[in-house]
Every structure is written in C-alpha cells, then in structure tokens.
Amino acid sequence: MDVEDFRGAPRCRAVWDALPGSVLAAFARCDTRRLEVERARVAPRLRSAVTAPVYSVAHRFACWERLVGLLEVGGRPYFIVEYGNDLESRDALDEVMTSLPGERRGPAGRLLAELDARFVAATVPDPSGSLRPWVPLPHGRPPSGLGAWWRRRPLREPWD
C-alpha cells in the first residue's frame, strides 16, 4: 500500500500497519476483483496498463476517514458530488466486510465501527432526503437497501 493512499487518514494507516497477513490477503483478493471491474471500463488496448485498482479497500477506508475528519472539523473545499462518492465508498466497505464475517470483530471491523460512530456524531438524520437533488442514490439500488449513512446529512455542510 502506497503511503499516499493514507494521506489524511492516520487511523487507517495505523490499523493497516498492524493488520495480520491473512486479512491483508483477503483484502488483496477483494482488490483483485475490483481491478477486473476497473479494467473492464477502459479500452482493451489500455487494460494492461491498469495494474492496481483505484478504488482499493485501503483507498475506500482512507476516503471514509477523510470524509469523517472533514465533517468533524471542516477544512479543505469539498464539492457536494464528492459526498455521494464517499458514501458509495462506504457502501463498498460494507460489502467487503460482509464477505469477511470474521473481520467484523477484527481490527478493520473495529476501525470501521469507530469511523461510523464519528460520522454519526458529525451528522444529523435527514429523513426528508434534503440532499437528494445534489447527492442522488446509487443507480439501481432501492433506498431501503442503502446503509444508514445515506439517510444523514452533515451538521456543518462543507460545501457552503
């Protein structure tokens, strides 16, 4: 994992450095599947140049931590479209963790629970879906099948 992937995500970096090899191998298998999805989206002549997934498991964890940190303290400019992308990254983490049931109680699972709790503390319920005009739901997924993070909005909107 490249150090740059964890820029602005110190908790993820610390947990990643301590993950057992078996968990890293399981995440690598998830990344291999993701790499094939990403390769399928580029022209055949370019596929061999794509050697690692942009949206790796580590990248998605770091994205979630960066969003949570931003919602907690503000800071850099943040476009509302990024919010939807980061929520989709959180969806992907849920899928990864579901595929590794034992890891829910392990270090990565605890990290995700910690980040989720911080996200809840930095957001409020949004039962009316006030962000929907700017943050559409993922295509093809019913609202009832989405994680709770899709039904919350930041206390302090970073795109104001």
Side-chain angles (χ1 to χ4, degrees):
M1 178 58 28
D2 188 345
V3 173
E4 185 64 19
D5 291 331
F6 290 109
R7 177 187 43 78
R11 285 289 299 131
C12 289
R13 171 89 265 173
V15 168
W16 227 257
D17 287 344
L19 285 176
S22 60
V23 173
L24 291 172
F27 287 161
R29 287 189 297 275
C30 293
D31 287 347
T32 297
R33 289 189 298 274
R34 179 63 199 183
L35 178 59
E36 292 311 309
V37 168
E38 292 181 17
R39 280 183 172 158
R41 294 179 178 164
V42 298
R45 64 182 171 74
L46 300 175
R47 287 185 184 149
S48 63
V50 180
T51 59
V54 172
Y55 294 103
S56 68
V57 174
H59 174 82
R60 291 181 188 275
F61 265 98
C63 285
W64 191 235
E65 182 176 352
R66 283 191 292 269
L67 170 63
V68 168
L70 175 73
L71 296 179
E72 290 171 330
V73 299
R76 72 174 178 87
Y78 184 79
F79 298 105
I80 195 165
V81 69
E82 291 179 87
Y83 190 69
N85 291 339
D86 289 340
L87 295 181
E88 287 192 52
S89 280
R90 177 57 187 85
D91 287 344
L93 290 174
D94 211 37
E95 292 169 17
V96 166
M97 299 307 284
T98 297
S99 74
L100 305 169
E103 190 47 33
R104 284 242 185 236
R105 294 177 307 283
R110 289 190 301 272
L111 171 63
L112 191 55
E114 172 194 323
L115 295 173
D116 287 349
R118 289 172 52 196
F119 176 81
V120 167
T123 60
V124 294
D126 185 22
S128 68
S130 66
L131 297 180
R132 237 18 92 232
W134 301 278
V135 183
L137 298 176
H139 181 69
R141 297 194 46 207
S144 62
L146 295 173
W149 43 92
W150 285 97
R151 293 182 293 281
R152 301 189 67 81
R153 64 177 179 78
L155 285 167
R156 292 182 312 261
E157 294 179 346
W159 42 82
D160 281 347

